[in-house]
Amino acid sequence: DTGVSQDPRHKITKRGQNVTFRCDPISEHNRLYWYRQTLGQGPEFLTYFQNEAQLEKSRLLSDRFSAERPKGSFSTLEIQRTEQGDSAMYLCASSLLASPLAGGYNEQFFGPGTRLTVL
Amino acid sequence: QKEVEQDPGPLSVPEGAIVSLNCTYSNSAFQYFMWYRQYSRKGPELLMYTYSSGNKEDGRFTAQVDKSSKYISLFIRDSQPSDSATYLCASPPGNTPLVFGKGTRLSVIA
């Protein structure tokens, strides 16, 4: 399977614990995105990388959240001191940013998500 | 006001019906308009996208954009039980992260 993979698929933790999620994008994709989706809502953007550079962070990404993409391949999202409000599906997506001259839209391919439950 | 508004439903139709799903958006910078389909406990998958105004057809699915009214539609003809899913409209303001609607949950009853 050459799609986007995420690990773990499910995580149950107690309030106050730290958790870390991993995303492996499609191998040639240079952009990687993190989104959060709560029940009954569409995905909301958290942050994204182009290669190893973190280009944008949403105001949803509080100081307790940190994301890395150290070698421009896989990425990790860490949540420190988890709160019950952090319970959500965390989605990773990747895309290939083509040359600006190529035009068109660079499709984002989503992984299956990591479902976090904070007790 | 959210940049992309979508009626969350749920919407329930009999098999074979024509389904109409709609969104409105507020950001005039939006140029690309996407429809994603999301099955329960799965990640979204891109169904189709359109650029600017107009129609795009792909099999039983037709996407329509009216930029003058900032209205996006997805039509599903001859709906099947396998079409039961949540349908999300989205747009990137530039070549940037997507802004999604809430999603409309569709059930097609056999």
Side-chain angles (χ1 to χ4, degrees):
Chain A
D1 187 352
T2 56
V4 177
S5 62
Q6 292 186 245
D7 184 68
R9 294 291 307 277
H10 305 274
K11 179 71 177 179
I12 299 174
T13 191
K14 292 182 179 178
R15 189 177 55 184
Q17 298 293 304
N18 299 345
V19 294
T20 300
F21 309 141
R22 177 179 169 125
C23 171
D24 286 89
I26 293 171
S27 59
E28 66 270 23
H29 284 185
N30 49 13
R31 280 201 169 177
L32 186 148
Y33 306 80
W34 285 99
Y35 293 85
R36 183 174 70 185
Q37 186 175 26
T38 53
L39 198 62
Q41 301 294 318
E44 294 177 293
F45 165 69
L46 292 178
T47 187
Y48 84 101
F49 295 83
Q50 183 165 310
N51 299 311
E52 64 275 8
Q54 189 172 17
L55 294 191
E56 188 177 343
K57 291 192 284 187
S58 158
R59 59 179 171 75
L60 292 177
L61 211 69
S62 76
D63 291 345
R64 296 184 297 105
F65 288 69
S66 63
E68 293 184 338
R69 195 184 183 197
K71 297 181 181 178
S73 56
F74 73 92
S75 176
T76 58
L77 177 68
E78 181 183 16
I79 309 174
Q80 295 182 325
R81 304 181 304 282
T82 52
E83 301 173 355
Q84 287 183 324
D86 297 331
S87 295
M89 173 83 92
Y90 289 84
L91 292 161
C92 175
S94 70
S95 70
L96 179 64
L97 180 65
S99 161
L101 297 178
Y105 170 70
N106 304 301
E107 179 182 349
Q108 292 183 29
F109 294 83
F110 282 81
T114 293
R115 182 169 296 279
L116 172 66
T117 302
V118 181
L119 301 176
Chain B
Q1 180 191 11
K2 286 198 69 174
E3 287 189 290
V4 179
E5 298 278 0
Q6 184 175 11
D7 185 343
L11 184 61
S12 184
V13 301
E15 183 176 357
I18 296 175
V19 177
S20 172
L21 304 167
N22 307 294
C23 293
T24 57
Y25 66 95
S26 58
N27 190 335
S28 297
F30 289 176
Q31 295 289 332
Y32 289 92
F33 303 92
M34 285 77 184
W35 284 97
Y36 279 81
R37 178 173 61 194
Q38 186 175 25
Y39 291 111
S40 182
R41 300 188 179 273
K42 304 283 188 184
E45 57 175 341
L46 183 65
L47 201 54
M48 56 197 305
Y49 75 90
T50 55
Y51 175 72
S52 194
S53 282
N55 291 3
K56 186 173 184 179
E57 190 172 319
D58 185 0
R60 297 184 295 109
F61 299 87
T62 299
Q64 217 171 59
V65 176
D66 182 345
K67 291 199 77 179
S68 63
S69 60
K70 296 189 173 69
Y71 201 78
I72 313 163
S73 299
L74 178 71
F75 299 97
I76 307 174
R77 291 182 298 281
D78 186 25
S79 55
Q80 302 294 309
S82 59
D83 295 328
S84 298
T86 296
Y87 290 81
L88 297 150
C89 58
S91 182
N95 202 357
T96 56
L98 293 164
V99 177
F100 283 90
K102 280 187 175 183
T104 300
R105 197 168 72 189
L106 171 68
S107 295
V108 181
I109 310 301

